[in-house]
């Protein structure tokens, strides 16, 4: 487990990390638009695959950040408790950045634990500081605890959008009426100089899965509403048409990944023989099924979904061509299991080589997790999707599969 001294070490070490690949655009990519003051800046940033043909995403789930060093850790071994605080969460992020050098960091909700944060803005500034100080772009969605401090749900998302190096958006400007805050998409373009340099070869969807039901007759957690699903359908269709049209028309849609906080009811479809990872608690989905899984299946581009919320689950299983994955609990002020290391999920998309030796479309999408132990042990490597086989599963106790 990292301690407060380790935090200082990693802050210094981060200065040697190369900046993520960025390119400029003339503002033609609507997906980076935002309805607040940072719009013009974000339209200048374009994510793309690096010159090795890779794009790496680090998922951080459930930081539950409070008030920093005064916020105690939960569910750790007795020998680990002394001096353990939110700073251990920050140190873990720094360690992961050093180990994986991601192109994008994605925070999937419960970024702060509102009840234990004296001031929401201050807590968020500290929670996201590790990503900000690395100069790596990042994106976030909301969980069910982020709004329980001094800011409303909308206020929390507006603050996130105003922060440095974030590509988060309040909501898509083209969607005049949409539920929640933090529904947006990001496009990942091909390698500079490749035939698909001007196309998004990997699409990321971010959605606000809500907090708690506002319908008196429906108990429990929130869900992805029809207005959000309509936005997703239209966005997916627009991206598919652009990818399969000239120039460099592709034969099938670009793969997509979806990130949100609360798992879908379909996560309960798995048992120990058909997933990779562990299931140590129930699936805390909404008590109603909004149909969003079916919506994604019909769109035919999303290959994997990544959520948090249930900290003791970190499994990943395939259902009807889509992998449903947990990241596992990350934050030290979040509930966990003593002796079961905090963890993070990494996703790497790799491009295929063209006949001329350049880089083409996405060839495969792989994932693994790293534990916050002495060696940042990598576990549960698996292929989520491959262009040739439409996805296969295999288990390995290594990091880069």
């Amino acid at each position: 487990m990292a301690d407060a001294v380790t935090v200082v070490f990693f802050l210094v070490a981060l200065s040697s990390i190369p900046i993520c690949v960025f390119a400029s655009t003339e503002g033609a990519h609507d997906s980076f638009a935002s309805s607040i003051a940072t719009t013009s800046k974000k339209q200048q940033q374009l994510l793309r695959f690096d010159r090795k043909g890779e794009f790496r995403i680090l998922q951080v789930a459930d930081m539950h950040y409070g008030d920093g060093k005064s916020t105690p850790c939960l569910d750790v071994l007795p020998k680990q408790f002394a001096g353990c605080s939110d700073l251990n969460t920050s140190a873990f992020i720094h360690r992961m950045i050093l180990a994986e050098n991601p192109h994008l960091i994605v925070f999937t909700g419960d970024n702060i634990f509102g009840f234990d944060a004296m001031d929401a803005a201050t807590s968020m500034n500290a929670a996201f500081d590790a990503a900000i100080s690395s100069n790596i772009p990042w994106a976030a969605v909301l969980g069910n605890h982020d709004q329980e401090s001094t800011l409303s749900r909308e206020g929390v998302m507006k603050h996130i959008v105003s922060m440095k190096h974030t590509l988060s958006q309040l909501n898509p400007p083209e969607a005049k009426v949409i539920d929640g805050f933090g529904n947006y998409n990001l496009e990942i373009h091909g390698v500079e100089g490749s035939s698909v340099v001007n196309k998004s070869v990997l699409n990321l969807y971010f959605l606000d899965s809500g907090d708690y039901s506002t319908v008196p007759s429906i108990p429990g957690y929130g869900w992805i509403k029809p207005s959000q699903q309509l936005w997703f359908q239209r966005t997916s269709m627009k991206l598919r048409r652009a990818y399969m049209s000239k120039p460099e028309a592709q034969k099938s849609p670009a793969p997509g990944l979806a990130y949100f906080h609360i798992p879908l009811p379909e996560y309960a479809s798995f048992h120990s023989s058909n997933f990779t990872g562990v299931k140590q608690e129930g699936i805390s989905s909404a008590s109603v099924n909004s149909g969003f899984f079916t919506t994604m299946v019909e769109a035919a581009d999303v290959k994997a979904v990544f959520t948090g919320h249930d900290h003791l689950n970190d499994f990943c299983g395939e259902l009807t061509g889509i992998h449903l994955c947990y990241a596992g609990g990350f934050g030290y002020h979040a509930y966990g299991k003593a002796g079961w290391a905090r963890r993070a999920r990494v996703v790497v998309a790799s491009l295929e080589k063209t006949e001329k030796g350049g880089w083409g479309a996405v060839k495969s999408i792989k994932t693994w997790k790293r534990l916050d132990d002495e060696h940042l042990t990598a576990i549960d490597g698996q292929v989520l999707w491959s262009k040739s086989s439409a996805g296969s599963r295999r288990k390995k106790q290594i990091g880069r599969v």
Side-chain angles (χ1 to χ4, degrees):
M1 179 186 296
D3 55 24
V5 175
T6 311
V7 175
V8 177
F9 169 78
F10 288 126
L11 283 170
V12 175
L14 277 173
S15 62
S16 63
I17 293 179
I19 303 299
C20 174
V21 178
F22 272 119
S24 62
T25 179
E26 296 300 324
H29 303 281
D30 293 338
S31 64
F32 287 98
S34 176
S35 59
I36 65 172
T38 55
T39 299
S40 59
K41 177 186 286 188
K42 290 180 183 176
Q43 285 179 324
Q44 301 301 314
Q45 296 180 340
L46 180 66
L47 293 170
R48 66 170 69 255
F49 279 73
D50 66 22
R51 295 194 177 278
K52 295 181 180 179
E54 287 189 348
F55 193 86
R56 297 181 298 280
I57 303 171
L58 167 62
Q59 180 188 0
V60 176
D62 299 88
M63 287 190 292
H64 278 231
Y65 218 89
D67 289 330
K69 66 180 180 180
S70 65
T71 304
C73 294
L74 301 178
D75 298 326
V76 295
L77 296 172
K79 65 180 181 180
Q80 298 172 317
F81 187 79
C84 186
S85 71
D86 282 333
L87 298 186
N88 293 74
T89 301
S90 297
F92 186 20
I93 297 176
H94 285 303
R95 297 185 75 201
M96 286 300 304
I97 290 172
L98 286 170
E100 296 290 353
N101 191 18
H103 297 100
L104 180 69
I105 304 170
V106 176
F107 297 91
T108 50
D110 282 2
N111 308 298
I112 65 173
F113 188 68
F115 289 128
D116 290 341
M118 294 293 292
D119 179 77
T122 301
S123 182
M124 282 188 285
N125 291 344
F128 296 120
D129 182 69
I132 293 171
S133 63
S134 72
N135 294 319
I136 293 173
W138 57 279
V141 293
L142 301 181
N144 54 293
H145 289 303
D146 290 289
Q147 76 290 338
E148 294 170 340
S149 181
T150 56
L151 289 175
S152 67
R153 197 168 181 81
E154 181 179 11
V156 169
M157 198 65 206
K158 282 184 175 180
H159 185 79
I160 289 173
V161 173
S162 72
M163 300 177 79
K164 291 182 179 179
H165 307 311
T166 187
L167 299 179
S168 308
Q169 297 171 32
L170 180 62
N171 268 329
E174 70 274 13
K176 303 303 181 183
V177 177
I178 189 168
D179 286 277
F181 304 99
N183 303 286
Y184 56 101
N185 71 288
L186 297 177
E187 302 175 11
I188 318 300
H189 285 236
V191 175
E192 190 73 52
S194 69
S195 61
V196 288
V197 63
N198 293 319
K199 285 185 179 288
S200 177
V201 298
L202 178 68
N203 298 310
L204 309 182
Y205 301 98
F206 302 86
L207 296 105
D208 180 0
S209 54
D211 49 11
Y212 302 97
S213 172
T214 58
V215 181
S217 59
I218 301 176
Y221 294 107
W223 56 89
I224 295 173
K225 304 299 197 314
S227 62
Q228 297 167 281
Q229 297 190 45
L230 178 61
W231 165 79
F232 165 80
Q233 289 173 314
R234 290 176 173 175
T235 303
S236 173
M237 183 178 297
K238 179 188 69 175
L239 293 169
R240 281 181 280 142
R241 286 176 175 174
Y243 191 65
M244 299 172 70
S245 300
K246 294 181 179 180
E248 296 295 331
Q250 303 295 305
K251 296 181 180 179
S252 58
L257 307 175
Y259 288 90
F260 46 90
H261 181 69
I262 298 175
L264 302 171
E266 284 78 7
Y267 272 68
S269 303
F270 304 107
H271 48 81
S272 59
S273 66
N274 64 352
F275 64 69
T276 299
V278 298
K279 178 182 179 182
Q280 302 178 113
E281 63 178 310
I283 309 302
S284 299
S285 61
S287 60
V288 295
N289 193 323
S290 70
F292 185 54
F293 182 79
T294 301
T295 298
M296 289 188 291
V297 172
E298 290 175 341
D301 62 338
V302 172
K303 307 305 178 186
V305 173
F306 303 95
T307 66
H309 193 51
D310 298 325
H311 308 175
L312 298 182
N313 295 335
D314 73 351
F315 68 81
C316 195
E318 184 182 358
L319 181 66
T320 321
I322 298 177
H323 273 84
L324 301 178
C325 303
Y326 280 107
F330 189 100
Y332 278 92
H333 186 54
Y335 78 82
K337 182 179 179 181
W340 193 69
R342 264 60 174 187
R343 57 203 59 211
R345 182 173 290 280
V346 178
V347 172
V348 175
S350 301
L351 302 180
E352 62 182 356
K353 279 283 190 178
T354 64
E355 294 180 358
K356 297 180 180 179
W359 295 109
V362 174
K363 178 183 179 180
S364 66
I365 301 173
K366 304 173 184 178
T367 188
W368 55 87
K369 292 162 295 192
R370 283 193 184 271
L371 310 181
D372 192 19
D373 58 15
E374 182 181 358
H375 304 290
L376 278 181
T377 305
I379 64 170
D380 295 339
Q382 64 183 123
V383 177
L384 296 177
W385 178 82
S386 66
K387 188 175 182 180
S388 59
S389 63
S392 61
R393 289 192 298 273
R394 54 194 176 108
K395 300 180 181 180
K396 292 186 178 181
Q397 297 300 312
I398 60 174
R400 301 197 181 277
V401 294

